[in-house]
Amino acid sequence: MAATLKLFKPLGHRAFCGPFAYSATQSVAYWNVGNRTRHRGQDPPEHSSLHHPAKKVEKTCNTSSPRRTLTTSSALPGVELSRASASKASALKPGSPRAMKIDEEDVEVFDSFEDPRVFLQLRPEYQLHSYNRAEPCQPLSVSEGELILHKVTVYQDNLQPQTIADYLCKLSSVPAEQRPVLLSNARFALLCQLSVKNIQLFDAPELINILKAFVSLGIPHSHSMLDVYETRVCHKVWEMSLDQLLLVADLWRYLGRRVPRFFEIFFSYLNLHWKDLSLSQLIHLIYIIGESRQVPQELMQKLESLIIKYIDFINLEEAGTICLGFFKSSSSLSEFVMRKIGDLACADMQRLSSYALVNILKMFRFTHVDHMNFMKQFGQIAPQRIPSLGVQGVMHLTLACSALRILDEGVMNAVAASLPPRVAYCRSKDVAKILWSFGTLNYKPPNTEEFYSSLINEVHRKMPEFNRYPEHLLTCLLGLAFSEYFPVELIDFALSPGFIRIAQERSKFELTKELYTLDGTVGIECPDYRGNRLSSHLQQEGSELLWNLARKDMSSKPEFLEALLLLETMLGGPQYIKHHMILPHTRSSDLEVQLDVNMKPLPFNREAVPTEDVAKLRLKHVGVSLTDALINQLLKGKTGGHFQGETESETGQQPMESEKKAAMPLECSLHTVADRLGATEMAGLCPPACMQAPQVKLAIQLTNKNQYCYGSRNLLGLHNMKRRQLNRLGYRVVELSHWEWLPLLKRTRLEKLAFLHEKVFTSDL
């Protein structure tokens, strides 16, 4: 407080007379002394109109109300500024034909502050604990405001706390065009200083009224005076009611100020009083939690139990608010609650606003709950709504479909048709997520060329944004790669050392996997590409990272382990099959099998046989009794003596290494014995030098439902791309589909072996 009081050290002036603008150019600096330090990096340039002492009074007075509204709302933390406004401001010239159509393009105008608060108008109870900026109040005339400021200077040493609070509230009712002038007035700054000096004497209602006044006047969220008020409100939390606390939280939201200390204490209070929350208090609280982005998860679990309690009384907009609050705070809802919300929406989806629809879809995406009745009705209404929905909403609808693996051609066609004319309104994030969604669902709309060319051109125009959000460029390029589009210039830039450094330093995501997937794809599908590629070090890092993830994933699946064991048995041993990532950049593993010209398996996987077991080579499956004499005969042929023992003693090599050196002299005798015994496994003794080149290379894949569009047999983009690339490299993909293999797990071992034999040796040969 001492520091704040120093910031408000009075100037030499003691008495002021004249209009608000008196001595404004001198007092602006006085008012803004405490505002020059940014608060937690939140002070945006939009507030500069109130901060420059060099601005003249006439310019300050001429600041229009709409511009001030935009300035205030754009400063709010945790709210994503509508790119529609940003695009219009930067790209449209006044008087241009397109600028004349802005009224017709209101579909792109989204107020990220007010639109989420629509639910507050649907119950009168919300008025008890929320702030309504549009609430009518008696405007204060200029003369009345001047009289108050005069009293402040004359009676400053004798003003009571209640009077100070009353003066602030009355001054907040000055006409909008006069507010910038008031904020630059030294007498108003003196009043604020007096409020800080007397802050310990304000009761809870007075503190709330003062915060309301600050909201009306547009006090900058970074002003140091608010530090003092935040501290005082924190001390008052346990003396306030739930309605008062929700109202205070709402006012901090309106001020655009992050108050983590307040919320920490508030949430502690709620842990004891959460059962007392009414329906309106619960919904409002969830909204506030979502906007603040901070909450203990144990509290969210308690709030979920209240949602279940009130679920039959919640309206459609409140359902959307619940979903958005939980989504923004990264808190999950149970499948039971999501299905209840889906049922509520299905009961009257025609009346569900597009904003609530998008929010519910966000939560379905987050929880991966497949409410098919909801998605069916969504597919019926979405094509008609998409043209009147802003591109950000369109992006969220499309992304929800891809995350849930639901391909609705009507929805996707409507998205593809609506985007090209208004692609300029897209943020880099929107372009990235839309390209990713179409690529993931492996769907090309009727207007494919127009759709992709417009989005690729927009990616080029968004290049400056990718320096800040490098993950968005990689998302764009991977989505395009799924759909077999490879813009060379963009790929060359994305794989350049400079961009890779940006991706590693600036992104909050680990992007090595994305870079590696893009690089590996380009290497196979763009043979003429001569641009930048990943370094060998990053390639190795990406390969190891993805292999560790894939191996851990497959090793935990009993259906995969059983398939691997049965294939080893059928083929003759582990040396005939190899579990690895044929294409590491595609993020999933395969079981590779190689067949010779006679369609017999080749023992190419030498890593599967321990060195000490090479001599035995699992010949027990052949059905021939092996003795030491027979093994010696196989190793020595007709040379007699102690060939093996001499080799080991003289060279110190293991049997495998001896075998390699003696490979050619032994070739004939090995094949003679193998033919005589009729055992294909004897080929395992043949070293690589004498092994036939494979005639057929099989990539056996055990698929699951998450690799396909929901309820279909259409592969998703990544997995379709992998098969495309395997085919390019000469592999034949053998699929052990989940709809075939999983039911077989309950059948006999013989039936499983017969199925696998048919797949490996007779399918599509």
Side-chain angles (χ1 to χ4, degrees), residues 314-317 319-320 323 338-352 356-357 360-361 364 371 373-374 377-378 381 385:
I314 292 172
N315 60 47
L316 294 174
E317 294 304 315
C323 289
M338 287 309 302
R339 293 202 177 279
K340 282 287 189 179
I341 291 175
D343 293 341
L344 174 66
C346 288
D348 198 5
M349 190 169 286
Q350 291 294 339
R351 294 183 56 201
L352 182 65
L357 174 65
I360 292 173
L361 278 169
F364 275 127
H371 194 300
N373 188 26
F374 176 90
Q377 291 195 38
F378 160 72
I381 69 168
R385 293 200 185 190

PDB file of all heavy atoms in Angstrom, residues 314-317 319-320 323 338-352 356-357 360-361 364 371 373-374 377-378 381 385:
ATOM      1  N   ILE A 314     -31.836 -27.768 -16.130  1.00  0.00           N
ATOM      2  CA  ILE A 314     -30.895 -26.963 -16.908  1.00  0.00           C
ATOM      3  C   ILE A 314     -31.458 -26.719 -18.301  1.00  0.00           C
ATOM      4  O   ILE A 314     -31.986 -27.630 -18.946  1.00  0.00           O
ATOM      5  CB  ILE A 314     -29.530 -27.683 -16.991  1.00  0.00           C
ATOM      6  CG1 ILE A 314     -28.879 -27.714 -15.600  1.00  0.00           C
ATOM      7  CG2 ILE A 314     -28.607 -27.021 -17.995  1.00  0.00           C
ATOM      8  CD1 ILE A 314     -27.627 -28.563 -15.530  1.00  0.00           C
ATOM      9  N   ASN A 315     -31.354 -25.479 -18.795  1.00  0.00           N
ATOM     10  CA  ASN A 315     -31.817 -25.191 -20.149  1.00  0.00           C
ATOM     11  C   ASN A 315     -30.670 -25.376 -21.147  1.00  0.00           C
ATOM     12  O   ASN A 315     -29.527 -25.653 -20.769  1.00  0.00           O
ATOM     13  CB  ASN A 315     -32.430 -23.784 -20.245  1.00  0.00           C
ATOM     14  CG  ASN A 315     -31.432 -22.693 -19.877  1.00  0.00           C
ATOM     15  OD1 ASN A 315     -30.292 -22.689 -20.334  1.00  0.00           O
ATOM     16  ND2 ASN A 315     -31.877 -21.748 -19.045  1.00  0.00           N
ATOM     17  N   LEU A 316     -30.978 -25.224 -22.424  1.00  0.00           N
ATOM     18  CA  LEU A 316     -30.010 -25.536 -23.476  1.00  0.00           C
ATOM     19  C   LEU A 316     -28.774 -24.637 -23.412  1.00  0.00           C
ATOM     20  O   LEU A 316     -27.638 -25.105 -23.569  1.00  0.00           O
ATOM     21  CB  LEU A 316     -30.680 -25.393 -24.849  1.00  0.00           C
ATOM     22  CG  LEU A 316     -31.793 -26.405 -25.159  1.00  0.00           C
ATOM     23  CD1 LEU A 316     -32.466 -26.067 -26.480  1.00  0.00           C
ATOM     24  CD2 LEU A 316     -31.234 -27.815 -25.194  1.00  0.00           C
ATOM     25  N   GLU A 317     -28.972 -23.339 -23.184  1.00  0.00           N
ATOM     26  CA  GLU A 317     -27.820 -22.427 -23.135  1.00  0.00           C
ATOM     27  C   GLU A 317     -26.946 -22.722 -21.921  1.00  0.00           C
ATOM     28  O   GLU A 317     -25.716 -22.618 -21.985  1.00  0.00           O
ATOM     29  CB  GLU A 317     -28.293 -20.973 -23.105  1.00  0.00           C
ATOM     30  CG  GLU A 317     -28.985 -20.529 -24.376  1.00  0.00           C
ATOM     31  CD  GLU A 317     -28.129 -20.734 -25.616  1.00  0.00           C
ATOM     32  OE1 GLU A 317     -26.940 -20.395 -25.580  1.00  0.00           O
ATOM     33  OE2 GLU A 317     -28.657 -21.245 -26.625  1.00  0.00           O
ATOM     34  N   ALA A 319     -26.554 -25.645 -20.621  1.00  0.00           N
ATOM     35  CA  ALA A 319     -25.797 -26.855 -20.954  1.00  0.00           C
ATOM     36  C   ALA A 319     -24.543 -26.494 -21.740  1.00  0.00           C
ATOM     37  O   ALA A 319     -23.462 -27.047 -21.508  1.00  0.00           O
ATOM     38  CB  ALA A 319     -26.674 -27.818 -21.763  1.00  0.00           C
ATOM     39  N   GLY A 320     -24.689 -25.543 -22.674  1.00  0.00           N
ATOM     40  CA  GLY A 320     -23.520 -25.077 -23.415  1.00  0.00           C
ATOM     41  C   GLY A 320     -22.504 -24.400 -22.519  1.00  0.00           C
ATOM     42  O   GLY A 320     -21.292 -24.564 -22.692  1.00  0.00           O
ATOM     43  N   CYS A 323     -20.518 -27.019 -20.576  1.00  0.00           N
ATOM     44  CA  CYS A 323     -19.503 -27.661 -21.430  1.00  0.00           C
ATOM     45  C   CYS A 323     -18.320 -26.731 -21.672  1.00  0.00           C
ATOM     46  O   CYS A 323     -17.169 -27.158 -21.612  1.00  0.00           O
ATOM     47  CB  CYS A 323     -20.132 -28.084 -22.760  1.00  0.00           C
ATOM     48  SG  CYS A 323     -21.280 -29.472 -22.611  1.00  0.00           S
ATOM     49  N   MET A 338     -22.267 -36.438 -19.868  1.00  0.00           N
ATOM     50  CA  MET A 338     -22.244 -36.043 -21.274  1.00  0.00           C
ATOM     51  C   MET A 338     -23.432 -36.629 -22.032  1.00  0.00           C
ATOM     52  O   MET A 338     -24.011 -35.967 -22.906  1.00  0.00           O
ATOM     53  CB  MET A 338     -20.932 -36.479 -21.921  1.00  0.00           C
ATOM     54  CG  MET A 338     -19.718 -35.657 -21.508  1.00  0.00           C
ATOM     55  SD  MET A 338     -19.956 -33.868 -21.679  1.00  0.00           S
ATOM     56  CE  MET A 338     -20.346 -33.703 -23.409  1.00  0.00           C
ATOM     57  N   ARG A 339     -23.809 -37.830 -21.706  1.00  0.00           N
ATOM     58  CA  ARG A 339     -24.967 -38.427 -22.381  1.00  0.00           C
ATOM     59  C   ARG A 339     -26.255 -37.713 -21.950  1.00  0.00           C
ATOM     60  O   ARG A 339     -27.179 -37.547 -22.750  1.00  0.00           O
ATOM     61  CB  ARG A 339     -25.041 -39.919 -22.101  1.00  0.00           C
ATOM     62  CG  ARG A 339     -23.878 -40.682 -22.726  1.00  0.00           C
ATOM     63  CD  ARG A 339     -24.157 -42.154 -22.927  1.00  0.00           C
ATOM     64  NE  ARG A 339     -23.025 -42.790 -23.590  1.00  0.00           N
ATOM     65  CZ  ARG A 339     -22.801 -42.750 -24.899  1.00  0.00           C
ATOM     66  NH1 ARG A 339     -23.659 -42.115 -25.687  1.00  0.00           N
ATOM     67  NH2 ARG A 339     -21.754 -43.343 -25.429  1.00  0.00           N
ATOM     68  N   LYS A 340     -26.321 -37.300 -20.690  1.00  0.00           N
ATOM     69  CA  LYS A 340     -27.474 -36.530 -20.226  1.00  0.00           C
ATOM     70  C   LYS A 340     -27.571 -35.195 -20.969  1.00  0.00           C
ATOM     71  O   LYS A 340     -28.655 -34.761 -21.387  1.00  0.00           O
ATOM     72  CB  LYS A 340     -27.361 -36.282 -18.715  1.00  0.00           C
ATOM     73  CG  LYS A 340     -27.729 -37.477 -17.854  1.00  0.00           C
ATOM     74  CD  LYS A 340     -29.239 -37.706 -17.864  1.00  0.00           C
ATOM     75  CE  LYS A 340     -29.664 -38.754 -16.855  1.00  0.00           C
ATOM     76  NZ  LYS A 340     -31.131 -38.960 -16.857  1.00  0.00           N
ATOM     77  N   ILE A 341     -26.416 -34.535 -21.118  1.00  0.00           N
ATOM     78  CA  ILE A 341     -26.399 -33.260 -21.848  1.00  0.00           C
ATOM     79  C   ILE A 341     -26.766 -33.481 -23.312  1.00  0.00           C
ATOM     80  O   ILE A 341     -27.513 -32.700 -23.913  1.00  0.00           O
ATOM     81  CB  ILE A 341     -25.018 -32.587 -21.713  1.00  0.00           C
ATOM     82  CG1 ILE A 341     -24.809 -32.105 -20.273  1.00  0.00           C
ATOM     83  CG2 ILE A 341     -24.866 -31.430 -22.692  1.00  0.00           C
ATOM     84  CD1 ILE A 341     -23.441 -31.529 -19.991  1.00  0.00           C
ATOM     85  N   GLY A 342     -26.252 -34.562 -23.894  1.00  0.00           N
ATOM     86  CA  GLY A 342     -26.612 -34.886 -25.269  1.00  0.00           C
ATOM     87  C   GLY A 342     -28.098 -35.149 -25.420  1.00  0.00           C
ATOM     88  O   GLY A 342     -28.735 -34.703 -26.393  1.00  0.00           O
ATOM     89  N   ASP A 343     -28.679 -35.866 -24.465  1.00  0.00           N
ATOM     90  CA  ASP A 343     -30.122 -36.132 -24.498  1.00  0.00           C
ATOM     91  C   ASP A 343     -30.915 -34.832 -24.392  1.00  0.00           C
ATOM     92  O   ASP A 343     -31.933 -34.646 -25.079  1.00  0.00           O
ATOM     93  CB  ASP A 343     -30.519 -37.069 -23.360  1.00  0.00           C
ATOM     94  CG  ASP A 343     -29.933 -38.474 -23.526  1.00  0.00           C
ATOM     95  OD1 ASP A 343     -29.541 -38.823 -24.661  1.00  0.00           O
ATOM     96  OD2 ASP A 343     -29.854 -39.206 -22.519  1.00  0.00           O
ATOM     97  N   LEU A 344     -30.454 -33.936 -23.517  1.00  0.00           N
ATOM     98  CA  LEU A 344     -31.128 -32.644 -23.351  1.00  0.00           C
ATOM     99  C   LEU A 344     -31.116 -31.861 -24.662  1.00  0.00           C
ATOM    100  O   LEU A 344     -32.130 -31.279 -25.064  1.00  0.00           O
ATOM    101  CB  LEU A 344     -30.422 -31.847 -22.242  1.00  0.00           C
ATOM    102  CG  LEU A 344     -30.894 -30.411 -22.005  1.00  0.00           C
ATOM    103  CD1 LEU A 344     -32.326 -30.414 -21.494  1.00  0.00           C
ATOM    104  CD2 LEU A 344     -29.978 -29.705 -21.005  1.00  0.00           C
ATOM    105  N   ALA A 345     -29.959 -31.861 -25.345  1.00  0.00           N
ATOM    106  CA  ALA A 345     -29.851 -31.141 -26.615  1.00  0.00           C
ATOM    107  C   ALA A 345     -30.709 -31.791 -27.696  1.00  0.00           C
ATOM    108  O   ALA A 345     -31.351 -31.100 -28.496  1.00  0.00           O
ATOM    109  CB  ALA A 345     -28.394 -31.085 -27.057  1.00  0.00           C
ATOM    110  N   CYS A 346     -30.735 -33.110 -27.714  1.00  0.00           N
ATOM    111  CA  CYS A 346     -31.511 -33.822 -28.737  1.00  0.00           C
ATOM    112  C   CYS A 346     -33.005 -33.567 -28.593  1.00  0.00           C
ATOM    113  O   CYS A 346     -33.752 -33.614 -29.582  1.00  0.00           O
ATOM    114  CB  CYS A 346     -31.242 -35.324 -28.652  1.00  0.00           C
ATOM    115  SG  CYS A 346     -29.610 -35.811 -29.245  1.00  0.00           S
ATOM    116  N   ALA A 347     -33.436 -33.309 -27.385  1.00  0.00           N
ATOM    117  CA  ALA A 347     -34.869 -33.120 -27.149  1.00  0.00           C
ATOM    118  C   ALA A 347     -35.409 -31.887 -27.866  1.00  0.00           C
ATOM    119  O   ALA A 347     -36.607 -31.832 -28.184  1.00  0.00           O
ATOM    120  CB  ALA A 347     -35.136 -33.018 -25.645  1.00  0.00           C
ATOM    121  N   ASP A 348     -34.538 -30.915 -28.142  1.00  0.00           N
ATOM    122  CA  ASP A 348     -35.009 -29.689 -28.809  1.00  0.00           C
ATOM    123  C   ASP A 348     -33.850 -29.016 -29.527  1.00  0.00           C
ATOM    124  O   ASP A 348     -33.558 -27.848 -29.306  1.00  0.00           O
ATOM    125  CB  ASP A 348     -35.614 -28.740 -27.764  1.00  0.00           C
ATOM    126  CG  ASP A 348     -36.505 -27.675 -28.393  1.00  0.00           C
ATOM    127  OD1 ASP A 348     -36.721 -27.743 -29.614  1.00  0.00           O
ATOM    128  OD2 ASP A 348     -36.967 -26.780 -27.667  1.00  0.00           O
ATOM    129  N   MET A 349     -33.180 -29.756 -30.409  1.00  0.00           N
ATOM    130  CA  MET A 349     -31.959 -29.231 -31.026  1.00  0.00           C
ATOM    131  C   MET A 349     -32.232 -28.050 -31.951  1.00  0.00           C
ATOM    132  O   MET A 349     -31.367 -27.196 -32.143  1.00  0.00           O
ATOM    133  CB  MET A 349     -31.216 -30.339 -31.780  1.00  0.00           C
ATOM    134  CG  MET A 349     -29.830 -29.914 -32.225  1.00  0.00           C
ATOM    135  SD  MET A 349     -28.785 -31.242 -32.840  1.00  0.00           S
ATOM    136  CE  MET A 349     -28.345 -32.091 -31.328  1.00  0.00           C
ATOM    137  N   GLN A 350     -33.409 -27.963 -32.511  1.00  0.00           N
ATOM    138  CA  GLN A 350     -33.703 -26.827 -33.384  1.00  0.00           C
ATOM    139  C   GLN A 350     -33.616 -25.506 -32.626  1.00  0.00           C
ATOM    140  O   GLN A 350     -33.291 -24.469 -33.208  1.00  0.00           O
ATOM    141  CB  GLN A 350     -35.102 -26.989 -33.995  1.00  0.00           C
ATOM    142  CG  GLN A 350     -35.213 -28.119 -35.011  1.00  0.00           C
ATOM    143  CD  GLN A 350     -34.387 -27.877 -36.260  1.00  0.00           C
ATOM    144  OE1 GLN A 350     -34.034 -26.739 -36.571  1.00  0.00           O
ATOM    145  NE2 GLN A 350     -34.064 -28.944 -36.980  1.00  0.00           N
ATOM    146  N   ARG A 351     -33.892 -25.539 -31.336  1.00  0.00           N
ATOM    147  CA  ARG A 351     -33.825 -24.316 -30.520  1.00  0.00           C
ATOM    148  C   ARG A 351     -32.454 -24.100 -29.897  1.00  0.00           C
ATOM    149  O   ARG A 351     -32.225 -23.080 -29.252  1.00  0.00           O
ATOM    150  CB  ARG A 351     -34.882 -24.377 -29.412  1.00  0.00           C
ATOM    151  CG  ARG A 351     -36.319 -24.340 -29.925  1.00  0.00           C
ATOM    152  CD  ARG A 351     -37.282 -24.326 -28.761  1.00  0.00           C
ATOM    153  NE  ARG A 351     -37.012 -23.208 -27.852  1.00  0.00           N
ATOM    154  CZ  ARG A 351     -37.414 -23.164 -26.584  1.00  0.00           C
ATOM    155  NH1 ARG A 351     -38.094 -24.181 -26.079  1.00  0.00           N
ATOM    156  NH2 ARG A 351     -37.140 -22.122 -25.828  1.00  0.00           N
ATOM    157  N   LEU A 352     -31.569 -25.049 -30.081  1.00  0.00           N
ATOM    158  CA  LEU A 352     -30.224 -24.920 -29.529  1.00  0.00           C
ATOM    159  C   LEU A 352     -29.453 -23.886 -30.341  1.00  0.00           C
ATOM    160  O   LEU A 352     -29.339 -24.000 -31.563  1.00  0.00           O
ATOM    161  CB  LEU A 352     -29.513 -26.279 -29.593  1.00  0.00           C
ATOM    162  CG  LEU A 352     -28.099 -26.356 -29.021  1.00  0.00           C
ATOM    163  CD1 LEU A 352     -28.106 -26.118 -27.514  1.00  0.00           C
ATOM    164  CD2 LEU A 352     -27.484 -27.722 -29.331  1.00  0.00           C
ATOM    165  N   ALA A 356     -24.116 -22.531 -28.324  1.00  0.00           N
ATOM    166  CA  ALA A 356     -24.202 -23.650 -27.386  1.00  0.00           C
ATOM    167  C   ALA A 356     -23.875 -24.966 -28.085  1.00  0.00           C
ATOM    168  O   ALA A 356     -23.235 -25.850 -27.502  1.00  0.00           O
ATOM    169  CB  ALA A 356     -25.602 -23.707 -26.764  1.00  0.00           C
ATOM    170  N   LEU A 357     -24.303 -25.104 -29.329  1.00  0.00           N
ATOM    171  CA  LEU A 357     -24.008 -26.313 -30.095  1.00  0.00           C
ATOM    172  C   LEU A 357     -22.499 -26.525 -30.213  1.00  0.00           C
ATOM    173  O   LEU A 357     -21.990 -27.638 -29.994  1.00  0.00           O
ATOM    174  CB  LEU A 357     -24.641 -26.208 -31.484  1.00  0.00           C
ATOM    175  CG  LEU A 357     -24.315 -27.327 -32.472  1.00  0.00           C
ATOM    176  CD1 LEU A 357     -24.875 -28.649 -31.989  1.00  0.00           C
ATOM    177  CD2 LEU A 357     -24.865 -26.982 -33.860  1.00  0.00           C
ATOM    178  N   ILE A 360     -21.032 -27.628 -26.789  1.00  0.00           N
ATOM    179  CA  ILE A 360     -21.315 -29.025 -26.454  1.00  0.00           C
ATOM    180  C   ILE A 360     -20.426 -29.950 -27.282  1.00  0.00           C
ATOM    181  O   ILE A 360     -19.897 -30.951 -26.776  1.00  0.00           O
ATOM    182  CB  ILE A 360     -22.810 -29.325 -26.673  1.00  0.00           C
ATOM    183  CG1 ILE A 360     -23.651 -28.550 -25.642  1.00  0.00           C
ATOM    184  CG2 ILE A 360     -23.088 -30.815 -26.543  1.00  0.00           C
ATOM    185  CD1 ILE A 360     -25.148 -28.637 -25.867  1.00  0.00           C
ATOM    186  N   LEU A 361     -20.245 -29.615 -28.555  1.00  0.00           N
ATOM    187  CA  LEU A 361     -19.365 -30.428 -29.402  1.00  0.00           C
ATOM    188  C   LEU A 361     -17.922 -30.397 -28.908  1.00  0.00           C
ATOM    189  O   LEU A 361     -17.207 -31.394 -28.985  1.00  0.00           O
ATOM    190  CB  LEU A 361     -19.433 -29.938 -30.844  1.00  0.00           C
ATOM    191  CG  LEU A 361     -20.619 -30.456 -31.661  1.00  0.00           C
ATOM    192  CD1 LEU A 361     -20.735 -29.697 -32.971  1.00  0.00           C
ATOM    193  CD2 LEU A 361     -20.480 -31.950 -31.926  1.00  0.00           C
ATOM    194  N   PHE A 364     -17.816 -32.965 -26.165  1.00  0.00           N
ATOM    195  CA  PHE A 364     -17.848 -34.323 -26.707  1.00  0.00           C
ATOM    196  C   PHE A 364     -16.472 -34.691 -27.273  1.00  0.00           C
ATOM    197  O   PHE A 364     -16.017 -35.825 -27.135  1.00  0.00           O
ATOM    198  CB  PHE A 364     -18.920 -34.451 -27.787  1.00  0.00           C
ATOM    199  CG  PHE A 364     -20.291 -34.743 -27.257  1.00  0.00           C
ATOM    200  CD1 PHE A 364     -21.381 -33.962 -27.604  1.00  0.00           C
ATOM    201  CD2 PHE A 364     -20.510 -35.814 -26.393  1.00  0.00           C
ATOM    202  CE1 PHE A 364     -22.650 -34.232 -27.121  1.00  0.00           C
ATOM    203  CE2 PHE A 364     -21.774 -36.095 -25.898  1.00  0.00           C
ATOM    204  CZ  PHE A 364     -22.848 -35.297 -26.260  1.00  0.00           C
ATOM    205  N   HIS A 371     -22.053 -39.911 -28.625  1.00  0.00           N
ATOM    206  CA  HIS A 371     -23.505 -39.838 -28.493  1.00  0.00           C
ATOM    207  C   HIS A 371     -24.071 -39.778 -29.911  1.00  0.00           C
ATOM    208  O   HIS A 371     -24.218 -38.702 -30.507  1.00  0.00           O
ATOM    209  CB  HIS A 371     -23.898 -38.593 -27.698  1.00  0.00           C
ATOM    210  CG  HIS A 371     -25.311 -38.580 -27.227  1.00  0.00           C
ATOM    211  ND1 HIS A 371     -26.397 -38.639 -28.083  1.00  0.00           N
ATOM    212  CD2 HIS A 371     -25.843 -38.517 -25.970  1.00  0.00           C
ATOM    213  CE1 HIS A 371     -27.515 -38.604 -27.394  1.00  0.00           C
ATOM    214  NE2 HIS A 371     -27.208 -38.520 -26.107  1.00  0.00           N
ATOM    215  N   ASN A 373     -26.998 -40.325 -31.332  1.00  0.00           N
ATOM    216  CA  ASN A 373     -28.253 -39.627 -31.612  1.00  0.00           C
ATOM    217  C   ASN A 373     -27.998 -38.130 -31.743  1.00  0.00           C
ATOM    218  O   ASN A 373     -28.535 -37.462 -32.634  1.00  0.00           O
ATOM    219  CB  ASN A 373     -29.278 -39.906 -30.511  1.00  0.00           C
ATOM    220  CG  ASN A 373     -30.657 -39.359 -30.867  1.00  0.00           C
ATOM    221  OD1 ASN A 373     -30.997 -39.207 -32.033  1.00  0.00           O
ATOM    222  ND2 ASN A 373     -31.440 -39.043 -29.852  1.00  0.00           N
ATOM    223  N   PHE A 374     -27.156 -37.607 -30.856  1.00  0.00           N
ATOM    224  CA  PHE A 374     -26.790 -36.195 -30.943  1.00  0.00           C
ATOM    225  C   PHE A 374     -26.091 -35.914 -32.264  1.00  0.00           C
ATOM    226  O   PHE A 374     -26.404 -34.930 -32.958  1.00  0.00           O
ATOM    227  CB  PHE A 374     -25.889 -35.820 -29.760  1.00  0.00           C
ATOM    228  CG  PHE A 374     -25.386 -34.397 -29.809  1.00  0.00           C
ATOM    229  CD1 PHE A 374     -26.109 -33.379 -29.215  1.00  0.00           C
ATOM    230  CD2 PHE A 374     -24.198 -34.082 -30.453  1.00  0.00           C
ATOM    231  CE1 PHE A 374     -25.657 -32.067 -29.266  1.00  0.00           C
ATOM    232  CE2 PHE A 374     -23.739 -32.780 -30.506  1.00  0.00           C
ATOM    233  CZ  PHE A 374     -24.473 -31.771 -29.912  1.00  0.00           C
ATOM    234  N   GLN A 377     -28.543 -35.912 -35.248  1.00  0.00           N
ATOM    235  CA  GLN A 377     -29.329 -34.685 -35.353  1.00  0.00           C
ATOM    236  C   GLN A 377     -28.449 -33.496 -35.713  1.00  0.00           C
ATOM    237  O   GLN A 377     -28.871 -32.607 -36.460  1.00  0.00           O
ATOM    238  CB  GLN A 377     -30.065 -34.424 -34.039  1.00  0.00           C
ATOM    239  CG  GLN A 377     -31.170 -35.421 -33.741  1.00  0.00           C
ATOM    240  CD  GLN A 377     -32.104 -34.937 -32.653  1.00  0.00           C
ATOM    241  OE1 GLN A 377     -32.436 -33.748 -32.573  1.00  0.00           O
ATOM    242  NE2 GLN A 377     -32.548 -35.852 -31.797  1.00  0.00           N
ATOM    243  N   PHE A 378     -27.232 -33.485 -35.188  1.00  0.00           N
ATOM    244  CA  PHE A 378     -26.277 -32.441 -35.561  1.00  0.00           C
ATOM    245  C   PHE A 378     -26.042 -32.455 -37.068  1.00  0.00           C
ATOM    246  O   PHE A 378     -25.998 -31.408 -37.719  1.00  0.00           O
ATOM    247  CB  PHE A 378     -24.963 -32.668 -34.809  1.00  0.00           C
ATOM    248  CG  PHE A 378     -23.779 -31.990 -35.434  1.00  0.00           C
ATOM    249  CD1 PHE A 378     -23.624 -30.617 -35.364  1.00  0.00           C
ATOM    250  CD2 PHE A 378     -22.801 -32.737 -36.092  1.00  0.00           C
ATOM    251  CE1 PHE A 378     -22.526 -29.997 -35.952  1.00  0.00           C
ATOM    252  CE2 PHE A 378     -21.711 -32.135 -36.666  1.00  0.00           C
ATOM    253  CZ  PHE A 378     -21.569 -30.762 -36.605  1.00  0.00           C
ATOM    254  N   ILE A 381     -28.900 -30.601 -38.887  1.00  0.00           N
ATOM    255  CA  ILE A 381     -29.064 -29.142 -38.797  1.00  0.00           C
ATOM    256  C   ILE A 381     -27.809 -28.380 -39.185  1.00  0.00           C
ATOM    257  O   ILE A 381     -27.890 -27.215 -39.583  1.00  0.00           O
ATOM    258  CB  ILE A 381     -29.500 -28.722 -37.376  1.00  0.00           C
ATOM    259  CG1 ILE A 381     -28.353 -28.946 -36.368  1.00  0.00           C
ATOM    260  CG2 ILE A 381     -30.749 -29.451 -36.939  1.00  0.00           C
ATOM    261  CD1 ILE A 381     -28.609 -28.303 -35.020  1.00  0.00           C
ATOM    262  N   ARG A 385     -26.801 -24.429 -40.909  1.00  0.00           N
ATOM    263  CA  ARG A 385     -26.274 -23.405 -40.002  1.00  0.00           C
ATOM    264  C   ARG A 385     -24.868 -22.947 -40.378  1.00  0.00           C
ATOM    265  O   ARG A 385     -24.480 -21.817 -40.056  1.00  0.00           O
ATOM    266  CB  ARG A 385     -26.259 -23.933 -38.569  1.00  0.00           C
ATOM    267  CG  ARG A 385     -27.642 -24.160 -37.996  1.00  0.00           C
ATOM    268  CD  ARG A 385     -27.582 -24.211 -36.488  1.00  0.00           C
ATOM    269  NE  ARG A 385     -28.862 -24.533 -35.892  1.00  0.00           N
ATOM    270  CZ  ARG A 385     -29.118 -24.448 -34.596  1.00  0.00           C
ATOM    271  NH1 ARG A 385     -28.169 -24.063 -33.762  1.00  0.00           N
ATOM    272  NH2 ARG A 385     -30.308 -24.762 -34.129  1.00  0.00           N
TER     273      ARG A 385
END
